[in-house]
Amino acid sequence: MDSADRLQTAASFKAYLLKDSTKTNLNLYDHLTRVLMKVMDERPHNAVDVFEDISRDVKRGLFEEKQSTLRDLTEATAAEQLAEQQRLLFSRLEDADQEEELVEMFLPNVSEIAFYLEQAGVGLGREEMQRIFLALKQLVESQGLQHCRLWGKILGTESSYIVAEAEHREGDEEEEDQSIEAAAEEEEEKAEAEENENDPLPQSTYKPPPVVPKEATGTGANKFIYYVCKEPGLPWVRLPTVSPAQINAARQIRKFFTGRLDAPVITYPPFPGNEANYLRAQIARISAGTQVSPQGYYQAGEDESNEEDEVPHDTYEVNPDFEGLPVSEMADSLSTWVHHIQHILQQGRCTWVNLAMKQGDEFNEETEAEDREEETDEPEPEVGPPLLTPLSQDAEITNTPPWSSKMSSTLTAQHAVAVLRSNLWPGAYAYACGKKFENIYIGWGLKYAGVGYNPPVPPLPQREYASGPEITEALDPTLEEEQALKEALEEQQAAEEEMEDSEDEEDD
Amino acid sequence: MDSDSLYYSLDLVAGSGHTLNLEKKTALQTSLVILKKNYKFNRVLFWGKILGLKDDYFVAQGRGEDEMKDRKYLYSFNCMDWYLLPSVTDSMTEEVSIAAKGRFIGDPSYVYEHVETHREGDGDEDGKEEEVVIKVNEERRLAVTVHQIDKEVSVVPRGAFIRTPHGLVQMNRSFGGLSHSETLKLNNFLHFTEPKNLKKKSILEMADLNPVIDFMDVLSDDIPKGSWSLQFECASKVCVIRSLLWLGLTFYHVPMTPQHGYIYIGDGTKNLDLPFML
């Protein structure tokens, strides 16, 4: 062929390439140009393998050139909102009295604790711990707490809780209880008013088992108050006090936390309360089971007025003469650690309450109990292990020892930290280094179940009312039977009259 | 978790409560490089830590050409000396599931025993009693557990891995990360194993999928629903997904960046009570 013919063929092929597609108004010539320009610009690795993707991307890129006539509505994303809240953490009070206040309030040195925990392999990351530190400072300042401690973090399915422990202060709790009682009284009045209007319904003779009373705030399971927040920077919420019924129910269920304090806890046996109560009950159980200290750090309180051995003392003081134990000893044996929180009894409280008494008089409780013990069958008082018992006496579950201990480092044993890890409550850690020690819990808030969880079976149905003659149904007599009976009676009466008449005749 | 990103990504998963000692972190940085050279891996990952009663196992994973098939596991106690774990067969899995109960002890030569008595024959007279003793040592239990965890709960974001026309699964170099709105949905995260395809997808759903990157099962198809917890941590910067089936598995992804990874730090027991707990 001639070069002219070749040029002609090339020109007609180019015209074909330039023909617009009927569907998309693109043509192959421009498209190939753009694709090759893109390859020239980007120089992708193994371009021939990804050629189809490049082609598709170019086509897709053409459609985005049309500008939308709608304006962007900027909504603050969750990250931006949180950042605004957390900015407040970093602001300082502009008070001249600030230095005086710092002396009174006790703020734990979370940075130091975080350092030791990191050695132990536990922690939330440096920046997060710093944020928690500042949030704790905010809590102490806003609530005026005297003694505060970072308790730990409980993970949930939707969000997590950061928990702080504070010591109870007089005068706060009474307001809360009063408002709850007032609400309860109002409900009772309403119920009574409704009943009096209609005919009185038959009352059931069922008496529910007596409710174990809550422990007073400041003692036993309610010794500390707990505050939770979702993220450091968000406001702290105070958790309610815990009741023995809640602790017992928490022992029987196994449920994840969702992260919302008002979420209902739907389980069998029904849990009395919502997630805030469940959280508080688990915190109480974890504290009672896993808060430990080196032996000798605390000593028993001095004001023990009760000589009886039944009532356990629940006060302890920091021992001023404590000299730290060597770290290798602490890591080796469990008897160098002691519990410093009271054990929770089966009843759900730390001190046992005798429920068999009908009229409770709190002052004479013990003397009455002694009198009655000889007369009737009294339930045996429950006694837990006394305070400050060493860990070597802890019971194990299904062949797992309750604690695992080790040193944080074998290479630099001189400066290592002794670490104790709980196997019953996975996530509970304690460390000790010389005179310093701390406990923390970071986990899901569930106990190690061993083999598997068996939900409790619902109770047997109540027995039916005993059948006796007074409630067995009998058929009403039919008309024939009644008439037959009537005739029989009349005959009998007639017979009697005849007898009397005949007797009268004989007498005459 | 890639060994190259170990030094900063441990902080991102620390929200679950476990991190590594500084000493162990630095030891890992050295030993994983040596491991990569010795075994000729393409990439070495720090897989995680299994907590035992007496001692903890540190587990590393080496990947070859095909990211899904060429995987080898190694374990160590001090993050320096690594031992290869045996590869897992079905019979090994069965033996371990029968014999090994309770927590890991921390001693690879510890033997779990399970005694079963079989009665054969009809009637009481002809009955022969056979005692079948199944023994499993802890090293095999570790291998099976690690393999199971990877099979059931290893997570990658959608688009991070591609299947080449040769059938190899490889990292996607042009993965730019999921956007902020994509990280909110669980169906943008995939299981990193051979797909089981429990749910047949309708043609409408298949239209959006790309066979190059969508060859794995989606997390939101898991039964029971709710066995994954998706949260934003570290001041809402990092998307963290935790598994509720194997407590201790944490996956992190920083949106709009290619940083992602997962780690398992826990006691190596499956959470069979999950349906009660949701």
Side-chain angles (χ1 to χ4, degrees):
Chain A
M1 270 223 231
D2 274 347
S3 57
D5 279 334
R6 276 193 219 125
L7 285 176
Q8 180 71 26
T9 328
S12 59
F13 188 64
K14 187 170 171 184
Y16 165 71
L17 287 178
L18 279 169
K19 204 153 68 161
D20 280 351
S21 148
T22 47
K23 281 193 219 156
T24 55
N25 267 349
L26 300 172
N27 61 44
L28 191 54
Y29 187 86
D30 290 335
H31 182 67
L32 281 173
T33 319
R34 279 186 221 113
V35 171
L36 286 175
M37 272 173 51
K38 187 172 161 108
V39 172
M40 272 200 297
D41 288 334
E42 289 177 8
R43 304 283 170 139
H45 191 57
N46 291 343
V48 65
D49 292 331
V50 294
F51 182 75
E52 290 82 9
D53 287 326
I54 298 177
S55 163
R56 200 191 53 211
D57 284 336
V58 166
K59 279 195 190 158
R60 206 189 276 154
L62 292 176
F63 287 116
E64 285 174 26
E65 285 174 6
K66 293 185 191 148
Q67 289 283 338
S68 163
T69 49
L70 301 168
R71 267 185 301 165
D72 276 340
L73 180 67
T74 47
E75 282 181 18
T77 60
E80 288 161 14
Q81 280 172 338
L82 189 62
E84 286 291 323
Q85 300 250 357
Q86 290 185 333
R87 202 170 69 155
L88 297 171
L89 285 177
F90 295 95
S91 63
R92 280 180 47 158
L93 293 174
E94 303 266 340
D95 261 344
D97 298 323
Q98 197 184 4
E99 288 185 16
E100 288 180 25
E101 287 181 25
L102 281 176
V103 171
E104 279 181 23
M105 294 182 294
F106 178 81
L107 187 64
N109 189 352
V110 179
S111 305
E112 192 183 357
I113 296 174
F115 167 71
Y116 283 116
L117 284 174
E118 199 186 318
Q119 301 250 332
V122 178
L124 293 172
R126 293 234 185 108
E127 287 86 10
E128 189 75 14
M129 279 298 207
Q130 185 62 31
R131 279 191 278 262
I132 293 178
F133 191 9
L134 293 170
L136 269 182
K137 174 168 157 241
Q138 216 181 39
L139 174 69
V140 168
E141 281 168 9
S142 67
Q143 301 275 338
L145 300 170
Q146 278 173 317
H147 190 102
C148 177
R149 205 188 121 235
L150 172 66
W151 186 87
K153 177 173 173 182
I154 292 198
L155 304 168
T157 52
E158 288 170 27
S159 95
S160 313
Y161 299 108
I162 299 181
V163 183
E165 183 183 84
E167 252 183 25
H168 160 248
R169 223 176 35 159
E170 302 287 326
D172 281 338
E173 282 56 74
E174 295 169 7
E175 298 171 6
E176 234 191 72
D177 288 339
Q178 279 175 9
S179 63
I180 293 174
E181 282 177 17
E185 281 176 15
E186 282 178 23
E187 286 180 21
E188 283 180 20
E189 286 175 11
K190 278 187 209 165
E192 283 178 14
E194 283 179 17
E195 278 187 29
N196 290 334
E197 286 173 8
N198 310 327
D199 290 322
L201 297 167
Q203 301 288 325
S204 100
T205 50
Y206 168 70
K207 285 200 177 61
V211 175
V212 182
K214 251 196 228 191
E215 290 178 289
T217 38
T219 62
N222 284 323
K223 187 162 178 158
F224 296 104
I225 328 174
Y226 293 92
Y227 291 86
V228 292
C229 78
K230 276 198 201 170
E231 293 263 350
L234 295 179
W236 292 87
V237 176
R238 187 160 120 176
L239 287 180
T241 46
V242 68
S243 75
Q246 287 166 354
I247 291 190
N248 272 329
R251 278 179 171 150
Q252 293 176 312
I253 63 177
R254 201 164 164 78
K255 208 108 166 102
F256 279 121
F257 293 94
T258 59
R260 288 168 289 133
L261 282 174
D262 51 355
V265 179
I266 304 174
T267 57
Y268 183 77
F271 187 81
N274 57 9
E275 183 154 314
N277 303 100
Y278 180 41
L279 183 63
R280 179 68 181 82
Q282 289 293 90
I283 292 176
R285 288 173 71 202
I286 293 174
S287 288
T290 62
Q291 301 271 327
V292 296
S293 56
Q295 182 161 49
Y297 192 87
Y298 289 116
Q299 64 189 13
E302 289 176 0
D303 46 338
E304 282 187 55
S305 51
N306 293 325
E307 293 91 16
E308 297 175 6
D309 290 340
E310 293 177 7
V311 179
H313 55 86
D314 61 350
T315 51
Y316 52 87
E317 298 172 344
V318 179
N319 184 355
D321 302 326
F322 175 68
E323 290 168 9
L325 296 165
V327 170
S328 48
E329 249 187 58
M330 303 224 60
D332 278 334
S333 81
L334 284 180
S335 54
T336 46
W337 298 83
V338 295
H339 285 280
H340 61 259
I341 299 279
Q342 271 183 309
H343 176 79
I344 300 186
L345 304 168
Q346 274 302 101
Q347 208 180 30
R349 294 168 47 111
C350 292
T351 47
W352 188 73
V353 152
N354 193 347
L355 288 176
M357 300 181 1
K358 288 174 191 168
Q359 287 170 4
D361 206 3
E362 285 171 28
F363 304 103
N364 298 333
E365 203 178 302
E366 290 170 28
T367 50
E368 282 188 15
E370 284 177 19
D371 289 336
R372 288 196 193 181
E373 258 181 57
E374 299 165 353
E375 296 171 3
T376 55
D377 291 331
E378 291 288 317
E380 296 239 341
E382 298 169 20
V383 176
L387 206 58
L388 302 181
T389 42
L391 293 192
S392 40
Q393 311 214 351
D394 274 2
E396 42 175 71
I397 286 190
T398 64
N399 301 331
T400 346
W403 298 90
S404 298
S405 63
K406 60 176 183 209
M407 307 258 283
S408 66
S409 139
T410 44
L411 294 174
T412 53
Q414 219 178 13
H415 300 288
V417 170
V419 179
L420 204 60
R421 185 174 73 208
S422 169
N423 293 326
L424 290 184
W425 291 98
Y429 290 87
Y431 75 82
C433 180
K435 287 199 187 174
K436 303 186 197 154
F437 84 99
E438 187 56 74
N439 296 289
I440 200 166
Y441 179 87
I442 305 182
W444 295 89
L446 301 165
K447 194 165 183 175
Y448 175 63
V451 179
Y453 169 66
N454 282 321
V457 181
L460 292 173
Q462 258 189 337
R463 298 182 63 103
E464 287 195 17
Y465 198 89
S467 60
E470 63 265 17
I471 59 163
T472 36
E473 283 186 5
L475 288 174
D476 281 340
T478 61
L479 191 58
E480 290 89 9
E481 285 177 13
E482 279 185 13
Q483 279 187 343
L485 190 61
K486 196 166 151 192
E487 283 168 18
L489 275 177
E490 281 172 10
E491 280 177 27
Q492 209 183 26
Q493 257 187 355
E496 281 181 7
E497 282 172 19
E498 281 182 18
M499 289 264 299
E500 288 178 8
D501 286 346
S502 61
E503 283 177 9
D504 286 343
E505 285 176 8
E506 286 176 4
D507 289 338
D508 284 345
Chain B
M1 182 166 298
D2 217 344
S3 56
D4 301 328
S5 60
L6 196 65
Y7 58 95
Y8 65 80
S9 44
L10 273 176
D11 262 350
L12 300 174
V13 287
S16 310
H18 291 103
T19 101
L20 284 184
N21 204 343
L22 193 60
E23 188 190 308
K24 299 278 187 314
K25 252 199 268 191
T26 34
L28 276 177
Q29 282 187 356
T30 317
S31 64
L32 287 182
V33 170
I34 297 177
L35 206 65
K36 187 167 155 184
K37 178 187 96 152
N38 285 345
Y39 283 86
K40 299 192 182 36
F41 291 135
N42 265 7
R43 283 202 308 158
V44 175
L45 313 177
F46 178 62
W47 185 88
K49 196 168 148 185
I50 295 209
L51 309 172
L53 294 176
K54 297 206 183 102
D55 214 346
D56 305 331
Y57 296 99
F58 292 86
V59 181
Q61 186 185 76
R63 295 219 178 145
E65 190 67 41
D66 183 336
E67 296 265 340
M68 219 185 259
K69 296 201 182 108
D70 299 337
R71 290 196 271 193
K72 286 204 174 79
Y73 297 94
L74 303 104
Y75 73 97
S76 153
F77 292 104
N78 55 2
C79 291
M80 265 298 156
D81 310 310
W82 295 89
Y83 312 103
L84 192 63
L85 278 174
S87 17
V88 170
T89 57
D90 282 337
S91 60
M92 218 198 286
T93 319
E94 267 188 46
E95 282 179 3
V96 166
S97 60
I98 295 177
K101 304 263 184 246
R103 299 272 310 264
F104 276 87
I105 303 289
D107 174 17
S109 50
Y110 181 84
V111 175
Y112 296 90
E113 277 189 18
H114 177 80
V115 177
E116 268 183 22
T117 50
H118 288 287
R119 280 198 138 233
E120 285 177 28
D122 311 316
D124 296 320
E125 295 170 4
D126 299 346
K128 288 185 231 165
E129 272 195 25
E130 265 187 33
E131 270 200 8
V132 177
V133 179
I134 301 181
K135 283 192 195 171
V136 159
N137 70 358
E138 186 149 292
E139 202 184 31
R140 299 181 122 198
R141 184 184 176 190
L142 182 65
V144 168
T145 310
V146 168
H147 179 86
Q148 265 183 333
I149 292 179
D150 252 356
K151 197 164 87 160
E152 293 182 16
V153 288
S154 57
V155 183
V156 292
R158 179 172 177 257
F161 286 89
I162 52 174
R163 179 170 259 167
T164 61
H166 301 291
L168 298 173
V169 175
Q170 290 184 341
M171 267 180 58
N172 184 1
R173 294 286 178 84
S174 44
F175 176 58
L178 298 175
S179 71
H180 286 282
S181 56
E182 280 175 357
T183 49
L184 290 172
K185 294 193 211 153
L186 210 55
N187 60 359
N188 284 317
F189 297 95
L190 310 169
H191 282 277
F192 193 61
T193 44
E194 295 296 324
K196 291 182 207 124
N197 276 332
L198 295 166
K199 200 167 117 169
K200 294 281 183 191
K201 296 207 193 303
S202 68
I203 297 187
L204 219 73
E205 290 170 14
M206 297 263 273
D208 289 331
L209 301 182
N210 182 353
V212 172
I213 56 178
D214 287 304
F215 54 95
M216 294 179 272
D217 284 329
V218 173
L219 283 195
S220 46
D221 280 345
D222 272 357
I223 296 164
K225 261 191 159 39
S227 56
W228 294 94
S229 141
L230 199 157
Q231 293 175 25
F232 279 86
E233 301 244 331
C234 292
S236 296
K237 276 292 173 52
V238 182
C239 165
V240 171
I241 300 188
R242 292 199 185 98
S243 164
L244 302 178
L245 186 60
W246 290 91
L247 289 175
L249 181 102
T250 317
F251 163 84
Y252 80 94
H253 175 53
V254 185
M256 301 305 283
T257 67
Q259 294 168 29
H260 66 92
Y262 68 89
I263 196 172
Y264 177 86
I265 302 187
D267 54 11
T269 47
K270 193 166 176 175
N271 182 18
L272 294 167
D273 304 328
L274 183 62
F276 290 116
M277 294 159 80
L278 290 176

